[in-house]
Amino acid sequence: MRTVRLDVPEPTTAFWRAHREGTPIALRTSGTTGAARTIVRSTCSWTRSFAPLIERTGLHAGDRMWIPGPLDSTMNLFSACLCEYAGAVWDSRPEGASWATLTPSWLARALDSHAPMKALVAGDGLSRALWQRATALGWDVVHYYGAAELSLVALGRHAQDLRPFEAVEIDTADDRIWVRSPWLADGCPAPGEPGALRRRADGFVTVGDRGRLDNGLLQVWGRAGAITTAGATVELAPLRARLAAHAHGEVVLLGLPHPELGQVLAAVTTSHDDLRHVRGWARRNLSGPQRPRVWRVVPRLPRTATGKIDLHRLAEGLR
């Protein structure tokens, strides 16, 4: 099947050309936590969601949107195409902007340096505290949860206020977020590439995120075996194996809540010698979201009745 790739210098131009031709698009994910993969979707799986999103947000043709992140992020490319659909304009610079597309960590920085504007915030959970801070400063914030494979799933003011988006059905009976909607990608990933997407016979799909739909509100807990920090997902198992290779005792990785970044990556060792060696190796060999920001020594790790490390108790002890 022919597709139009969007990993090109002007991806929005390529998107609208594919839309006119009725050709599927191929979106390359960032591969933050492993091999990058390609997701195939119809352009209509985005464009038909634009009108209800515009109605919910109030974006209009006179607006100018600041998109500081790169367009190889599906979140940012989605917003750029949304602007062009609405007749608004977008730019990587903030001057004259009435809107912005930001991750929560970008929003936290922008509050200290930019005049209030409307913001579409995604890529990570937006805490109620950060939303309250932004609102107190005059910002008008809309938050959504989604995924490259699923597109927009739930919309609200912050992470504790997410409700299913237009025409989206959500099932969390097994504490995983299963989604059925018109906005799903067609191929996730493209044929022949690895990917974690699972499909059920009834049309619901999941990317593995855990959560619960309770009284119409979606609680997003994150992906099993992964954390999200400043909009980047970090798979814990392969990273822990790399760190453990430089330790004599145990090494545990976990996410700790953070008011601006969503979570921060914490590393726990069972001896001070391991802490020194492992942290030194990490400083030399890891960067960005994969380098732990919190380091602790816990000689006796808390255990469950079955002998497994009790991550909940461990996290509580580190706060």
Side-chain angles (χ1 to χ4, degrees), residues 233-295:
T233 304
V234 179
E235 298 285 353
L236 299 184
L239 180 58
R240 192 207 68 83
R242 296 179 68 191
L243 295 172
H246 304 277
H248 294 288
E250 293 188 84
V251 177
V252 180
L253 294 178
L254 68 162
L256 299 179
H258 190 280
E260 296 178 357
L261 303 179
Q263 293 175 294
V264 291
L265 180 62
V268 176
T269 68
T270 52
S271 77
H272 288 281
D273 283 343
D274 279 347
L275 178 69
R276 184 172 62 256
H277 292 306
V278 175
R279 182 162 56 182
W281 181 88
R283 285 174 174 169
R284 295 188 300 272
N285 295 277
L286 300 176
S287 62
Q290 294 210 348
R291 182 191 294 174
R293 295 298 187 254
V294 176
W295 294 85

Tab-separated table of all heavy atoms in Angstrom, residues 233-295:
chain	number	residue	atom	x	y	z
A	233	THR	N	8.651	8.968	27.296
A	233	THR	CA	8.412	7.689	27.938
A	233	THR	C	9.716	6.918	28.058
A	233	THR	O	10.471	6.801	27.094
A	233	THR	CB	7.391	6.857	27.142
A	233	THR	OG1	6.187	7.616	26.994
A	233	THR	CG2	7.075	5.553	27.844
A	234	VAL	N	9.969	6.392	29.249
A	234	VAL	CA	11.194	5.634	29.515
A	234	VAL	C	10.812	4.218	29.926
A	234	VAL	O	10.147	4.018	30.950
A	234	VAL	CB	12.033	6.297	30.625
A	234	VAL	CG1	13.298	5.480	30.895
A	234	VAL	CG2	12.394	7.727	30.250
A	235	GLU	N	11.203	3.240	29.133
A	235	GLU	CA	11.001	1.833	29.467
A	235	GLU	C	12.000	1.458	30.551
A	235	GLU	O	13.212	1.651	30.395
A	235	GLU	CB	11.192	0.958	28.234
A	235	GLU	CG	10.220	1.230	27.098
A	235	GLU	CD	8.834	0.688	27.361
A	235	GLU	OE1	8.652	-0.027	28.377
A	235	GLU	OE2	7.924	0.986	26.576
A	236	LEU	N	11.507	0.902	31.659
A	236	LEU	CA	12.360	0.684	32.823
A	236	LEU	C	13.202	-0.588	32.735
A	236	LEU	O	14.359	-0.596	33.157
A	236	LEU	CB	11.495	0.647	34.087
A	236	LEU	CG	10.709	1.927	34.390
A	236	LEU	CD1	9.978	1.786	35.716
A	236	LEU	CD2	11.624	3.136	34.420
A	237	ALA	N	12.640	-1.674	32.203
A	237	ALA	CA	13.352	-2.947	32.242
A	237	ALA	C	14.699	-2.917	31.519
A	237	ALA	O	15.721	-3.314	32.096
A	237	ALA	CB	12.468	-4.064	31.702
A	238	PRO	N	14.779	-2.468	30.257
A	238	PRO	CA	16.080	-2.461	29.600
A	238	PRO	C	17.068	-1.493	30.229
A	238	PRO	O	18.273	-1.769	30.274
A	238	PRO	CB	15.755	-2.061	28.157
A	238	PRO	CG	14.425	-1.395	28.218
A	238	PRO	CD	13.695	-2.050	29.340
A	239	LEU	N	16.576	-0.390	30.763
A	239	LEU	CA	17.474	0.566	31.407
A	239	LEU	C	17.995	0.013	32.724
A	239	LEU	O	19.182	0.156	33.055
A	239	LEU	CB	16.732	1.887	31.643
A	239	LEU	CG	17.538	3.008	32.311
A	239	LEU	CD1	18.790	3.337	31.494
A	239	LEU	CD2	16.670	4.246	32.479
A	240	ARG	N	17.133	-0.650	33.487
A	240	ARG	CA	17.576	-1.249	34.745
A	240	ARG	C	18.660	-2.297	34.511
A	240	ARG	O	19.637	-2.391	35.271
A	240	ARG	CB	16.387	-1.882	35.483
A	240	ARG	CG	16.697	-2.262	36.936
A	240	ARG	CD	15.828	-3.397	37.419
A	240	ARG	NE	16.167	-4.631	36.721
A	240	ARG	CZ	17.169	-5.419	37.063
A	240	ARG	NH1	17.968	-5.105	38.061
A	240	ARG	NH2	17.404	-6.526	36.386
A	241	ALA	N	18.511	-3.077	33.430
A	241	ALA	CA	19.512	-4.097	33.124
A	241	ALA	C	20.878	-3.464	32.854
A	241	ALA	O	21.921	-4.003	33.265
A	241	ALA	CB	19.053	-4.916	31.929
A	242	ARG	N	20.890	-2.322	32.165
A	242	ARG	CA	22.161	-1.646	31.882
A	242	ARG	C	22.801	-1.136	33.169
A	242	ARG	O	24.017	-1.255	33.365
A	242	ARG	CB	21.932	-0.479	30.919
A	242	ARG	CG	21.444	-0.891	29.544
A	242	ARG	CD	21.211	0.321	28.655
A	242	ARG	NE	22.478	0.984	28.308
A	242	ARG	CZ	22.546	2.175	27.729
A	242	ARG	NH1	21.422	2.848	27.474
A	242	ARG	NH2	23.715	2.701	27.434
A	243	LEU	N	21.998	-0.586	34.069
A	243	LEU	CA	22.530	-0.076	35.320
A	243	LEU	C	22.974	-1.210	36.247
A	243	LEU	O	24.018	-1.125	36.906
A	243	LEU	CB	21.481	0.791	36.019
A	243	LEU	CG	21.085	2.083	35.307
A	243	LEU	CD1	19.898	2.740	36.007
A	243	LEU	CD2	22.257	3.054	35.249
A	244	ALA	N	22.180	-2.274	36.288
A	244	ALA	CA	22.483	-3.390	37.184
A	244	ALA	C	23.798	-4.076	36.823
A	244	ALA	O	24.427	-4.705	37.687
A	244	ALA	CB	21.336	-4.394	37.172
A	245	ALA	N	24.209	-3.947	35.571
A	245	ALA	CA	25.474	-4.562	35.155
A	245	ALA	C	26.676	-3.953	35.877
A	245	ALA	O	27.758	-4.530	35.874
A	245	ALA	CB	25.643	-4.415	33.649
A	246	HIS	N	26.477	-2.802	36.522
A	246	HIS	CA	27.566	-2.107	37.207
A	246	HIS	C	27.370	-2.105	38.722
A	246	HIS	O	27.994	-1.309	39.426
A	246	HIS	CB	27.660	-0.667	36.677
A	246	HIS	CG	27.823	-0.603	35.197
A	246	HIS	ND1	29.034	-0.739	34.562
A	246	HIS	CD2	26.900	-0.468	34.203
A	246	HIS	CE1	28.871	-0.663	33.256
A	246	HIS	NE2	27.584	-0.499	33.012
A	247	ALA	N	26.521	-3.014	39.205
A	247	ALA	CA	26.235	-3.087	40.640
A	247	ALA	C	26.431	-4.508	41.149
A	247	ALA	O	26.316	-5.479	40.394
A	247	ALA	CB	24.814	-2.616	40.917
A	248	HIS	N	26.716	-4.618	42.433
A	248	HIS	CA	26.816	-5.941	43.068
A	248	HIS	C	25.487	-6.355	43.684
A	248	HIS	O	25.148	-7.533	43.705
A	248	HIS	CB	27.906	-5.927	44.144
A	248	HIS	CG	29.286	-5.723	43.596
A	248	HIS	ND1	29.962	-6.699	42.891
A	248	HIS	CD2	30.109	-4.651	43.651
A	248	HIS	CE1	31.154	-6.238	42.517
A	248	HIS	NE2	31.271	-4.995	42.972
A	249	GLY	N	24.764	-5.366	44.197
A	249	GLY	CA	23.466	-5.651	44.781
A	249	GLY	C	22.345	-5.357	43.808
A	249	GLY	O	22.532	-5.366	42.584
A	250	GLU	N	21.169	-5.070	44.347
A	250	GLU	CA	20.000	-4.815	43.501
A	250	GLU	C	19.936	-3.353	43.073
A	250	GLU	O	20.378	-2.449	43.787
A	250	GLU	CB	18.720	-5.186	44.244
A	250	GLU	CG	18.574	-6.676	44.500
A	250	GLU	CD	17.218	-7.014	45.062
A	250	GLU	OE1	16.271	-7.177	44.257
A	250	GLU	OE2	17.085	-7.110	46.284
A	251	VAL	N	19.351	-3.139	41.896
A	251	VAL	CA	19.053	-1.803	41.383
A	251	VAL	C	17.577	-1.771	41.012
A	251	VAL	O	17.099	-2.655	40.298
A	251	VAL	CB	19.920	-1.447	40.159
A	251	VAL	CG1	19.515	-0.079	39.611
A	251	VAL	CG2	21.399	-1.463	40.518
A	252	VAL	N	16.887	-0.779	41.513
A	252	VAL	CA	15.460	-0.637	41.231
A	252	VAL	C	15.221	0.731	40.608
A	252	VAL	O	15.779	1.734	41.066
A	252	VAL	CB	14.614	-0.771	42.518
A	252	VAL	CG1	13.123	-0.622	42.198
A	252	VAL	CG2	14.892	-2.097	43.200
A	253	LEU	N	14.408	0.775	39.559
A	253	LEU	CA	14.009	2.032	38.932
A	253	LEU	C	12.512	2.232	39.122
A	253	LEU	O	11.732	1.279	39.002
A	253	LEU	CB	14.325	2.023	37.439
A	253	LEU	CG	15.800	1.985	37.039
A	253	LEU	CD1	15.926	1.938	35.529
A	253	LEU	CD2	16.557	3.181	37.586
A	254	LEU	N	12.119	3.449	39.379
A	254	LEU	CA	10.704	3.760	39.528
A	254	LEU	C	10.478	5.248	39.289
A	254	LEU	O	11.430	6.038	39.298
A	254	LEU	CB	10.182	3.355	40.907
A	254	LEU	CG	10.685	4.134	42.131
A	254	LEU	CD1	9.737	3.903	43.305
A	254	LEU	CD2	12.083	3.675	42.533
A	255	GLY	N	9.231	5.591	39.039
A	255	GLY	CA	8.879	6.987	38.833
A	255	GLY	C	8.307	7.594	40.098
A	255	GLY	O	7.497	6.964	40.785
A	256	LEU	N	8.740	8.818	40.396
A	256	LEU	CA	8.209	9.560	41.531
A	256	LEU	C	7.409	10.748	41.015
A	256	LEU	O	7.828	11.400	40.049
A	256	LEU	CB	9.341	10.050	42.437
A	256	LEU	CG	10.226	8.980	43.077
A	256	LEU	CD1	11.304	9.631	43.927
A	256	LEU	CD2	9.393	8.019	43.928
A	257	PRO	N	6.283	11.064	41.619
A	257	PRO	CA	5.468	12.198	41.147
A	257	PRO	C	6.250	13.506	41.202
A	257	PRO	O	7.037	13.744	42.124
A	257	PRO	CB	4.285	12.218	42.130
A	257	PRO	CG	4.253	10.858	42.726
A	257	PRO	CD	5.666	10.374	42.764
A	258	HIS	N	6.021	14.353	40.191
A	258	HIS	CA	6.654	15.660	40.137
A	258	HIS	C	5.605	16.665	39.670
A	258	HIS	O	4.879	16.395	38.699
A	258	HIS	CB	7.841	15.646	39.176
A	258	HIS	CG	8.687	16.885	39.229
A	258	HIS	ND1	8.319	18.047	38.583
A	258	HIS	CD2	9.861	17.148	39.854
A	258	HIS	CE1	9.236	18.965	38.800
A	258	HIS	NE2	10.180	18.458	39.563
A	259	PRO	N	5.474	17.841	40.317
A	259	PRO	CA	4.383	18.766	39.984
A	259	PRO	C	4.461	19.351	38.584
A	259	PRO	O	3.444	19.798	38.052
A	259	PRO	CB	4.529	19.871	41.040
A	259	PRO	CG	5.946	19.788	41.495
A	259	PRO	CD	6.306	18.337	41.415
A	260	GLU	N	5.637	19.370	37.961
A	260	GLU	CA	5.774	19.962	36.635
A	260	GLU	C	6.095	18.934	35.557
A	260	GLU	O	5.627	19.046	34.426
A	260	GLU	CB	6.860	21.040	36.648
A	260	GLU	CG	6.529	22.212	37.544
A	260	GLU	CD	7.631	23.246	37.593
A	260	GLU	OE1	8.693	23.031	36.959
A	260	GLU	OE2	7.446	24.254	38.268
A	261	LEU	N	6.922	17.943	35.885
A	261	LEU	CA	7.369	16.972	34.883
A	261	LEU	C	6.481	15.741	34.809
A	261	LEU	O	6.674	14.897	33.947
A	261	LEU	CB	8.810	16.535	35.180
A	261	LEU	CG	9.854	17.653	35.260
A	261	LEU	CD1	11.228	17.062	35.597
A	261	LEU	CD2	9.910	18.416	33.951
A	262	GLY	N	5.505	15.652	35.712
A	262	GLY	CA	4.681	14.451	35.752
A	262	GLY	C	5.316	13.413	36.658
A	262	GLY	O	4.792	13.058	37.706
A	263	GLN	N	6.477	12.914	36.248
A	263	GLN	CA	7.260	11.992	37.048
A	263	GLN	C	8.740	12.290	36.845
A	263	GLN	O	9.130	12.880	35.836
A	263	GLN	CB	6.999	10.530	36.637
A	263	GLN	CG	5.595	10.018	36.939
A	263	GLN	CD	5.392	8.616	36.388
A	263	GLN	OE1	5.393	8.402	35.180
A	263	GLN	NE2	5.227	7.653	37.263
A	264	VAL	N	9.545	11.894	37.818
A	264	VAL	CA	10.999	11.897	37.642
A	264	VAL	C	11.493	10.476	37.862
A	264	VAL	O	10.926	9.717	38.652
A	264	VAL	CB	11.717	12.872	38.589
A	264	VAL	CG1	11.411	14.300	38.225
A	264	VAL	CG2	11.355	12.598	40.045
A	265	LEU	N	12.549	10.118	37.161
A	265	LEU	CA	13.105	8.779	37.253
A	265	LEU	C	14.000	8.681	38.481
A	265	LEU	O	14.923	9.482	38.654
A	265	LEU	CB	13.895	8.460	35.984
A	265	LEU	CG	14.559	7.078	35.922
A	265	LEU	CD1	13.502	5.976	35.988
A	265	LEU	CD2	15.376	6.956	34.622
A	266	ALA	N	13.724	7.701	39.328
A	266	ALA	CA	14.510	7.473	40.539
A	266	ALA	C	15.204	6.123	40.449
A	266	ALA	O	14.628	5.142	39.957
A	266	ALA	CB	13.624	7.522	41.779
A	267	ALA	N	16.450	6.070	40.933
A	267	ALA	CA	17.227	4.823	40.979
A	267	ALA	C	17.561	4.514	42.433
A	267	ALA	O	18.016	5.395	43.174
A	267	ALA	CB	18.502	4.958	40.157
A	268	VAL	N	17.339	3.282	42.829
A	268	VAL	CA	17.599	2.839	44.193
A	268	VAL	C	18.592	1.678	44.157
A	268	VAL	O	18.414	0.734	43.384
A	268	VAL	CB	16.298	2.391	44.888
A	268	VAL	CG1	16.584	1.847	46.282
A	268	VAL	CG2	15.304	3.541	44.955
A	269	THR	N	19.637	1.771	44.955
A	269	THR	CA	20.583	0.662	45.111
A	269	THR	C	20.550	0.198	46.559
A	269	THR	O	20.001	0.875	47.442
A	269	THR	CB	22.018	1.079	44.739
A	269	THR	OG1	22.503	2.011	45.714
A	269	THR	CG2	22.068	1.718	43.361
A	270	THR	N	21.170	-0.946	46.822
A	270	THR	CA	21.152	-1.493	48.180
A	270	THR	C	22.472	-1.284	48.914
A	270	THR	O	22.634	-1.786	50.022
A	270	THR	CB	20.812	-2.994	48.130
A	270	THR	OG1	21.674	-3.651	47.201
A	270	THR	CG2	19.363	-3.196	47.690
A	271	SER	N	23.410	-0.541	48.302
A	271	SER	CA	24.657	-0.220	49.003
A	271	SER	C	25.210	1.100	48.498
A	271	SER	O	24.953	1.493	47.357
A	271	SER	CB	25.708	-1.323	48.802
A	271	SER	OG	26.294	-1.234	47.521
A	272	HIS	N	25.975	1.775	49.362
A	272	HIS	CA	26.570	3.049	48.987
A	272	HIS	C	27.622	2.868	47.894
A	272	HIS	O	27.787	3.746	47.033
A	272	HIS	CB	27.176	3.721	50.214
A	272	HIS	CG	26.149	4.249	51.171
A	272	HIS	ND1	25.479	5.437	50.965
A	272	HIS	CD2	25.658	3.714	52.328
A	272	HIS	CE1	24.622	5.632	51.963
A	272	HIS	NE2	24.716	4.609	52.804
A	273	ASP	N	28.347	1.747	47.922
A	273	ASP	CA	29.336	1.497	46.863
A	273	ASP	C	28.660	1.378	45.509
A	273	ASP	O	29.128	1.931	44.508
A	273	ASP	CB	30.121	0.218	47.164
A	273	ASP	CG	31.176	0.418	48.232
A	273	ASP	OD1	31.521	1.602	48.497
A	273	ASP	OD2	31.646	-0.589	48.799
A	274	ASP	N	27.532	0.645	45.461
A	274	ASP	CA	26.799	0.524	44.196
A	274	ASP	C	26.280	1.872	43.739
A	274	ASP	O	26.310	2.195	42.546
A	274	ASP	CB	25.636	-0.450	44.359
A	274	ASP	CG	26.061	-1.904	44.259
A	274	ASP	OD1	27.206	-2.146	43.823
A	274	ASP	OD2	25.252	-2.777	44.610
A	275	LEU	N	25.792	2.672	44.685
A	275	LEU	CA	25.281	3.995	44.317
A	275	LEU	C	26.380	4.809	43.633
A	275	LEU	O	26.142	5.424	42.588
A	275	LEU	CB	24.781	4.728	45.552
A	275	LEU	CG	24.254	6.145	45.307
A	275	LEU	CD1	22.957	6.114	44.516
A	275	LEU	CD2	24.057	6.878	46.623
A	276	ARG	N	27.571	4.793	44.197
A	276	ARG	CA	28.667	5.573	43.627
A	276	ARG	C	29.041	5.074	42.231
A	276	ARG	O	29.173	5.856	41.294
A	276	ARG	CB	29.877	5.499	44.554
A	276	ARG	CG	31.044	6.364	44.088
A	276	ARG	CD	32.155	6.428	45.124
A	276	ARG	NE	32.744	5.120	45.387
A	276	ARG	CZ	32.506	4.397	46.473
A	276	ARG	NH1	31.686	4.860	47.416
A	276	ARG	NH2	33.070	3.228	46.652
A	277	HIS	N	29.176	3.760	42.082
A	277	HIS	CA	29.588	3.206	40.787
A	277	HIS	C	28.501	3.366	39.721
A	277	HIS	O	28.782	3.763	38.586
A	277	HIS	CB	29.943	1.721	40.938
A	277	HIS	CG	31.173	1.483	41.745
A	277	HIS	ND1	32.387	2.083	41.465
A	277	HIS	CD2	31.385	0.699	42.841
A	277	HIS	CE1	33.294	1.681	42.338
A	277	HIS	NE2	32.716	0.843	43.188
A	278	VAL	N	27.273	3.062	40.084
A	278	VAL	CA	26.189	3.100	39.101
A	278	VAL	C	25.884	4.541	38.695
A	278	VAL	O	25.691	4.837	37.512
A	278	VAL	CB	24.923	2.407	39.657
A	278	VAL	CG1	23.756	2.560	38.687
A	278	VAL	CG2	25.200	0.933	39.915
A	279	ARG	N	25.859	5.444	39.654
A	279	ARG	CA	25.586	6.836	39.324
A	279	ARG	C	26.705	7.423	38.460
A	279	ARG	O	26.438	8.179	37.521
A	279	ARG	CB	25.413	7.677	40.587
A	279	ARG	CG	25.064	9.135	40.279
A	279	ARG	CD	24.476	9.854	41.461
A	279	ARG	NE	25.328	9.820	42.629
A	279	ARG	CZ	24.994	10.371	43.809
A	279	ARG	NH1	23.818	10.975	43.956
A	279	ARG	NH2	25.816	10.310	44.827
A	280	GLY	N	27.963	7.049	38.757
A	280	GLY	CA	29.068	7.519	37.928
A	280	GLY	C	28.955	7.028	36.496
A	280	GLY	O	29.178	7.782	35.533
A	281	TRP	N	28.571	5.758	36.332
A	281	TRP	CA	28.406	5.209	34.980
A	281	TRP	C	27.264	5.935	34.258
A	281	TRP	O	27.372	6.265	33.076
A	281	TRP	CB	28.123	3.713	35.051
A	281	TRP	CG	27.980	3.091	33.693
A	281	TRP	CD1	28.968	2.580	32.906
A	281	TRP	CD2	26.757	2.956	32.941
A	281	TRP	NE1	28.449	2.125	31.721
A	281	TRP	CE2	27.097	2.352	31.709
A	281	TRP	CE3	25.436	3.278	33.190
A	281	TRP	CZ2	26.144	2.058	30.735
A	281	TRP	CZ3	24.482	2.996	32.223
A	281	TRP	CH2	24.845	2.392	31.014
A	282	ALA	N	26.171	6.184	34.978
A	282	ALA	CA	25.020	6.849	34.360
A	282	ALA	C	25.378	8.261	33.896
A	282	ALA	O	24.965	8.688	32.818
A	282	ALA	CB	23.848	6.892	35.343
A	283	ARG	N	26.141	8.969	34.691
A	283	ARG	CA	26.534	10.327	34.308
A	283	ARG	C	27.375	10.327	33.043
A	283	ARG	O	27.292	11.248	32.225
A	283	ARG	CB	27.310	10.978	35.454
A	283	ARG	CG	26.432	11.422	36.615
A	283	ARG	CD	27.285	11.919	37.760
A	283	ARG	NE	26.465	12.489	38.830
A	283	ARG	CZ	26.929	12.803	40.032
A	283	ARG	NH1	28.221	12.617	40.315
A	283	ARG	NH2	26.123	13.310	40.938
A	284	ARG	N	28.181	9.289	32.872
A	284	ARG	CA	29.057	9.224	31.698
A	284	ARG	C	28.352	8.685	30.461
A	284	ARG	O	28.762	9.004	29.334
A	284	ARG	CB	30.278	8.342	31.997
A	284	ARG	CG	31.209	8.903	33.067
A	284	ARG	CD	32.493	8.064	33.159
A	284	ARG	NE	32.226	6.673	33.500
A	284	ARG	CZ	32.137	6.204	34.737
A	284	ARG	NH1	32.283	7.032	35.776
A	284	ARG	NH2	31.907	4.930	34.972
A	285	ASN	N	27.326	7.885	30.643
A	285	ASN	CA	26.785	7.139	29.507
A	285	ASN	C	25.313	7.402	29.191
A	285	ASN	O	24.838	6.990	28.120
A	285	ASN	CB	26.958	5.636	29.749
A	285	ASN	CG	28.408	5.221	29.792
A	285	ASN	OD1	29.034	4.999	28.755
A	285	ASN	ND2	28.970	5.121	30.999
A	286	LEU	N	24.597	8.050	30.076
A	286	LEU	CA	23.177	8.288	29.850
A	286	LEU	C	22.908	9.781	29.799
A	286	LEU	O	23.615	10.572	30.412
A	286	LEU	CB	22.335	7.656	30.967
A	286	LEU	CG	22.449	6.143	31.152
A	286	LEU	CD1	21.626	5.694	32.350
A	286	LEU	CD2	22.028	5.396	29.899
A	287	SER	N	21.862	10.137	29.065
A	287	SER	CA	21.488	11.546	28.969
A	287	SER	C	19.978	11.654	28.846
A	287	SER	O	19.275	10.667	28.628
A	287	SER	CB	22.155	12.209	27.752
A	287	SER	OG	21.733	11.593	26.555
A	288	GLY	N	19.508	12.883	28.981
A	288	GLY	CA	18.081	13.139	28.802
A	288	GLY	C	17.230	12.372	29.793
A	288	GLY	O	17.628	12.151	30.945
A	289	PRO	N	16.040	11.931	29.367
A	289	PRO	CA	15.108	11.299	30.298
A	289	PRO	C	15.588	9.961	30.837
A	289	PRO	O	15.069	9.480	31.845
A	289	PRO	CB	13.832	11.117	29.452
A	289	PRO	CG	14.315	11.107	28.047
A	289	PRO	CD	15.481	12.040	28.009
A	290	GLN	N	16.584	9.324	30.191
A	290	GLN	CA	17.042	8.021	30.653
A	290	GLN	C	18.036	8.110	31.816
A	290	GLN	O	18.381	7.089	32.398
A	290	GLN	CB	17.666	7.238	29.494
A	290	GLN	CG	16.657	6.879	28.423
A	290	GLN	CD	17.013	5.598	27.710
A	290	GLN	OE1	18.111	5.079	27.843
A	290	GLN	NE2	16.070	5.072	26.952
A	291	ARG	N	18.499	9.300	32.154
A	291	ARG	CA	19.401	9.431	33.302
A	291	ARG	C	18.571	9.708	34.553
A	291	ARG	O	17.858	10.705	34.617
A	291	ARG	CB	20.410	10.556	33.091
A	291	ARG	CG	21.401	10.674	34.259
A	291	ARG	CD	22.215	11.936	34.179
A	291	ARG	NE	23.099	11.946	33.023
A	291	ARG	CZ	23.829	12.995	32.670
A	291	ARG	NH1	23.758	14.122	33.377
A	291	ARG	NH2	24.611	12.930	31.625
A	292	PRO	N	18.653	8.840	35.571
A	292	PRO	CA	17.884	9.069	36.799
A	292	PRO	C	18.222	10.417	37.428
A	292	PRO	O	19.383	10.833	37.448
A	292	PRO	CB	18.307	7.908	37.705
A	292	PRO	CG	18.729	6.827	36.750
A	292	PRO	CD	19.374	7.553	35.603
A	293	ARG	N	17.196	11.076	37.942
A	293	ARG	CA	17.380	12.374	38.577
A	293	ARG	C	17.400	12.269	40.104
A	293	ARG	O	17.832	13.176	40.792
A	293	ARG	CB	16.259	13.333	38.154
A	293	ARG	CG	16.283	13.672	36.665
A	293	ARG	CD	17.576	14.391	36.300
A	293	ARG	NE	17.562	14.883	34.922
A	293	ARG	CZ	18.235	14.334	33.926
A	293	ARG	NH1	18.970	13.249	34.147
A	293	ARG	NH2	18.196	14.857	32.718
A	294	VAL	N	16.888	11.173	40.634
A	294	VAL	CA	16.879	10.934	42.079
A	294	VAL	C	17.629	9.634	42.350
A	294	VAL	O	17.372	8.615	41.696
A	294	VAL	CB	15.430	10.839	42.618
A	294	VAL	CG1	15.425	10.487	44.101
A	294	VAL	CG2	14.679	12.140	42.364
A	295	TRP	N	18.557	9.668	43.313
A	295	TRP	CA	19.356	8.495	43.682
A	295	TRP	C	19.227	8.261	45.183
A	295	TRP	O	19.364	9.197	45.973
A	295	TRP	CB	20.823	8.691	43.315
A	295	TRP	CG	21.077	8.772	41.832
A	295	TRP	CD1	20.993	9.881	41.042
A	295	TRP	CD2	21.440	7.696	40.977
A	295	TRP	NE1	21.276	9.566	39.742
A	295	TRP	CE2	21.567	8.222	39.670
A	295	TRP	CE3	21.688	6.334	41.179
A	295	TRP	CZ2	21.919	7.445	38.577
A	295	TRP	CZ3	22.040	5.549	40.095
A	295	TRP	CH2	22.156	6.097	38.810
